Amino acid sequence: MVAIPRVVAPFVVSAPGKIILFGEHAVVYGKTAIAGSVDMRAYALVTPRKDGKTRLFLPDINVDVYFDSTQLARLSPSSLSHPCEIETQLTGIVAAEGPGRTAVLTFAYMYGSLFERGNMGGFTICVRSLLPVGSGLGSSAAFGVVLSTALLQLTGQLKQMGASAEDRKLINHWAYRGEQVAHGTPSGIDNAVATYGGFLAYTRGSESVSIHSTRALRVLITNTHVPKSTKALVAGVRTLRERHPEVVDTILDSIHSISTAAGSLFQSHEPCCSELQDIVRLNHGLLATLGVSHPSLERIREITAARGMASKLTGAGGGGCALTLIPIDVSGAAVDRVAQELAEVGFRCYQTVVGGAGVTITNHVDSESIDKWIGDMLTQHMSLSPSDRRDDKADDYSGIVSGFSILPDSAITALAPPSK
């Protein structure tokens, strides 16, 4: 652990979400899955305070927590056998239940691990996210990555502002520990994608392997709004495999072959869109055979197929989200028509790209430039005074933080790094 510098200039960290492209469910049995970063990001704005307190502000989930140095000094994560046990050190400090409890526990664990007790300066960290929670798009991992990056930057442990291989490895390590607080035994693929970006091949029990692709993919992500239980879906496949081991193992091997083929296509100079569409359809068909599709997912496939686009479930299935590959020659207007048709059925669509940048730090800003950016965005998108979240007595940057907290999604995307 190291001490936080007493004077901190404002900075912004952002990290992408993730999407599983190929290999769902088969990855549980040691097969390969392919995942990619989604350019729907989480953002953390870090500003200094002069009262010595630490504020965690998560307006998207109605969390606004202040810690004083005495409370944080009690934390001793190194004494825990597992990160999720951090809650035992926060009795009476963090509510036993309520919105954002896991996020607060994750923050407390990382803070207690990275900061030296007795040498703690004050700061505010405000996190916004464009990633829908519980949709399988890695919202908790993106939160963990921006959190670990911000705290490592504050403590001076990043040598090249998160850009070097050494920095990324450190960020990913602590983000994974944060995922352990949230999920117990995560695979590690979500935080790896949010850290490194691009495309990754993942096999359980092995290190993730970066896939060097020359281009990002245009995709449409459609949220069915159908709740799902990943645990139940995984258990269902396990039961089916116990009944018909040879048949199911053949299906899982075929899914592995699809992931391998996809990895090769991504690394080719110009990946053939028709081939990618073929394996999207094949992968979904095999997953449907395992019983993890849903009528809502099949409806999305039907609508997009009528427009010449291939779709598949992503993640555990059973509802959740679907992924649609947008061919290179399909116009934006055509995609808008498909999205409108899906919306009329009751789904919500997000047009984005997969395979873009990982975590980034924007550190070339001062209070005036951030304040101007906030003001410009507010003027452009709404006439709303950021006064309800102010904390002027303790935080010279309270107007900036409160302005950031009420910005619409379209304004926050102005901070996104350019796609690769």
Side-chain angles (χ1 to χ4, degrees), residues 7-11 45-50 55 57 122-124 126 365-371 374 386 389-405:
V7 179
V8 180
F11 62 93
L45 170 64
V46 182
T47 57
R49 299 180 64 85
K50 56 188 179 183
R55 180 189 185 192
F57 183 28
F123 64 93
T124 293
C126 177
V365 293
D366 54 29
S367 59
E368 289 76 19
S369 64
I370 295 181
D371 206 11
I374 292 290
R389 303 285 189 173
R390 298 186 75 87
D391 183 20
D392 297 322
K393 293 182 179 179
D395 190 348
D396 290 334
Y397 300 90
S398 61
I400 297 173
V401 173
S402 57
F404 182 80
S405 73

Side-chain angles (χ1 to χ4, degrees), residues 9 34 58 87 118 122 140 143 146 164 166 186 189-190 205 224 227 260 303 313 346 349 368 392 409:
I34 305 294
L58 314 175
E87 63 183 337
S140 70
F143 172 76
V146 297
S164 69
E166 182 182 356
I189 190 169
D190 288 21
T224 65
T260 302
I303 291 172
L313 65 85
C349 300
E368 289 76 19
D392 297 322
D409 292 352

Side-chain angles (χ1 to χ4, degrees), residues 324-337:
T324 301
L325 182 65
I326 302 175
I328 298 172
D329 57 352
V330 171
S331 67
V335 176
D336 289 342
R337 287 193 293 272

Side-chain angles (χ1 to χ4, degrees), residues 41-43 57-63 99 126-131 133 389 404-409 412:
R41 305 176 71 88
Y43 299 84
F57 183 28
L58 314 175
D60 295 322
I61 54 175
N62 297 316
V63 169
C126 177
V127 181
R128 297 291 314 273
S129 180
L130 305 184
L131 293 158
V133 176
R389 303 285 189 173
F404 182 80
S405 73
I406 61 175
L407 286 175
D409 292 352
I412 298 175

Side-chain angles (χ1 to χ4, degrees), residues 31-277:
K31 311 303 180 183
T32 298
I34 305 294
S37 60
V38 180
D39 205 21
M40 298 160 64
R41 305 176 71 88
Y43 299 84
L45 170 64
V46 182
T47 57
R49 299 180 64 85
K50 56 188 179 183
D51 62 353
K53 292 186 177 181
T54 297
R55 180 189 185 192
L56 176 66
F57 183 28
L58 314 175
D60 295 322
I61 54 175
N62 297 316
V63 169
D64 195 0
V65 180
Y66 290 79
F67 295 97
D68 61 38
S69 58
T70 303
Q71 293 172 320
L72 293 170
R74 300 177 194 170
L75 300 176
S76 180
S78 60
S79 66
L80 303 173
S81 59
H82 190 279
C84 68
E85 296 174 1
I86 189 65
E87 63 183 337
T88 63
Q89 298 182 0
L90 291 162
T91 303
I93 300 174
V94 176
E97 57 185 37
R101 182 173 184 272
T102 300
V104 177
L105 292 174
T106 300
F107 171 79
Y109 176 84
M110 288 193 193
Y111 190 108
S113 299
L114 295 172
F115 285 75
E116 181 179 314
R117 285 180 287 178
N119 269 309
M120 302 176 183
F123 64 93
T124 293
I125 179 166
C126 177
V127 181
R128 297 291 314 273
S129 180
L130 305 184
L131 293 158
V133 176
S135 62
L137 297 179
S139 59
S140 70
F143 172 76
V145 168
V146 297
L147 207 59
S148 66
T149 304
L151 297 182
L152 288 165
Q153 178 73 359
L154 281 170
T155 53
Q157 297 184 62
L158 298 181
K159 307 305 181 185
Q160 296 184 36
M161 289 182 59
S164 69
E166 182 182 356
D167 282 356
R168 295 288 173 106
K169 185 176 181 179
L170 192 59
I171 290 168
N172 190 49
H173 168 78
W174 286 107
Y176 178 73
R177 300 305 291 268
E179 283 286 88
Q180 286 182 301
V181 174
H183 302 297
T185 56
S187 68
I189 190 169
D190 288 21
N191 50 276
V193 171
T195 301
Y196 295 99
F199 299 96
L200 293 179
Y202 173 79
T203 305
R204 197 169 191 171
S206 303
E207 289 285 332
S208 299
V209 177
S210 179
I211 298 173
H212 300 287
S213 177
T214 58
R215 62 184 305 166
L217 294 177
R218 292 171 65 207
V219 299
L220 191 68
I221 298 171
T222 305
N223 191 343
T224 65
H225 301 295
V226 174
K228 60 183 176 61
S229 168
T230 298
K231 183 178 180 180
L233 290 159
V234 171
V237 174
R238 183 180 298 112
T239 299
L240 188 65
R241 184 171 181 259
E242 289 170 353
R243 292 176 183 166
H244 310 284
E246 292 185 5
V247 174
V248 172
D249 282 346
T250 299
I251 294 171
L252 298 176
D253 287 340
S254 297
I255 293 175
H256 174 80
S257 297
I258 285 172
S259 295
T260 302
S264 298
L265 281 172
F266 289 147
Q267 294 182 82
S268 63
H269 181 64
E270 282 292 334
C272 178
C273 190
S274 61
E275 289 185 51
L276 280 176
Q277 291 208 91

